[in-house]
Amino acid sequence: MAETLQGIKQRFGIIGNNSALNMAIERAMQVANTDISVLVTGESGVGKEFFPQIIHALSLRKHNNYIAVNCGAIPEGTIDSELFGHEKGSFTGATQTRKGYFEVADGGTIFLDEVGELPLHTQVRLLRVLESGEFMKVGSSNVQKTDVRIVAATNVNVLDAVQKGKFREDLYYRLNTVEIKVPALRERKSDINILFRKFAIDFAEKYRRPVVKLTPKAENLISNYAWPGNVRQLRNFAEEVSVVETGEILDVEEVNKFLPTNSIIHVNQKNSGSSNQDNDFSNERELLYKFLFDMKKDLNDLRTLTLELLSKNNGEVVANNKDLVNRIFSNIDTPRGDSLLKYEPETIPTTPIRTYSDAEDYDYEDIQESSSLSLQDNEIELIEKALQKHSGKRKEAAEELGISERTLYRKIKQYDL
């Protein structure tokens, strides 16, 4: 089996030794001599088109016609005519009778690529062919027989399409007698660099240029890239670097210029099935952290401001006042439950503390006698006093309060001062 497997790979130009890829090829070889329908599944660009060719080449039908039909590329209004043919005059533009693919491929194999794109009315006709081998041309009432082996392929989740009513369930199970799953390129990491070297050699010969080679770091980069476009994207990448790059050896910096970073699947993504909910949670958590950091900074600014305003004219802070402020702020300090939010409290500056030159502007005893210990009320009062002292000049008031002008402006807006 191994020798035959290698022979099939050489014959059809399939490169790689991934176990999932080998299993898919072996399954195609096993079902080739039968007439059962086969459904080839896999992402776009993985090379699904090779498997119906293998099946046809190893079957008893190999001397008859093999027709590949891209169902997604044929307009809905003409798909029935393309597949089953039409009679002259059956519709506008039908100037003569035409044979369809099922009539032309009688005795051979039809490959229906992107079968999930077939409209529902065509699915009904296809189901009849699969069950009885009978079909009728468009505009005809005569039943014709055909003996065709059908191999279908799709890159969509057909079961999801069945649940949404876009694909007939009975047709799905009729097509899916045997399923061949073709692995994505990101699941074949060991094959990526082999494929790149093969493509680089081919394009060097085609464009008569030196063969592009990658450094070990660059090879590691492309082997860990997600390749959402699979082998087709890797081939295009190899062609682009072969034509554009003037150097023969490319490092990570050069390779990164050709790898899109706005892909749905990112470089080094270990879990391709991770949901968008994880990303949303991460974004919300980052916003929460930013809010907490900003809040801590405001609290520290307010603590420093309060201590400055509680100072005496000689610039010395009364110890009792300092203890009172620290107790107040300790009750509303930034949460420390999360290990990522462990802050070290900022020290109170040791430089000379600014004081009001006019003792009437602030009297600590007034606060002691006040019935309100609300930080917000006291902050509003201090801001108003500073603005009055400097005749509404925010820059000078902010310097007096020991905060930035931007912070003062924000608090003026917040308190509607």
Side-chain angles (χ1 to χ4, degrees), residues 53-68:
Q53 296 176 26
I54 294 172
I55 292 172
H56 178 73
L58 299 182
S59 71
L60 300 177
R61 300 172 179 268
K62 61 184 178 181
H63 299 298
N64 297 322
N65 289 332
Y66 170 81
I67 297 178

Side-chain angles (χ1 to χ4, degrees), residues 93-116:
T95 57
Q96 57 186 3
T97 301
R98 180 186 180 279
K99 292 183 178 180
Y101 296 135
F102 278 96
E103 186 175 356
V104 175
D106 188 19
T109 303
I110 283 186
F111 170 43
L112 298 177
D113 195 11
E114 304 302 339
V115 69

Side-chain angles (χ1 to χ4, degrees), residues 170-197:
D170 48 2
L171 177 58
Y172 166 70
Y173 289 114
R174 193 66 180 81
L175 287 172
N176 194 26
T177 307
V178 173
E179 181 177 0
I180 297 176
K181 295 182 180 180
V182 185
L185 185 57
R186 62 179 173 275
E187 299 170 358
R188 302 167 49 195
K189 288 188 176 182
S190 59
D191 294 340
I192 292 176
N193 283 295
I194 300 174
L195 284 164
F196 175 81
R197 287 194 287 270

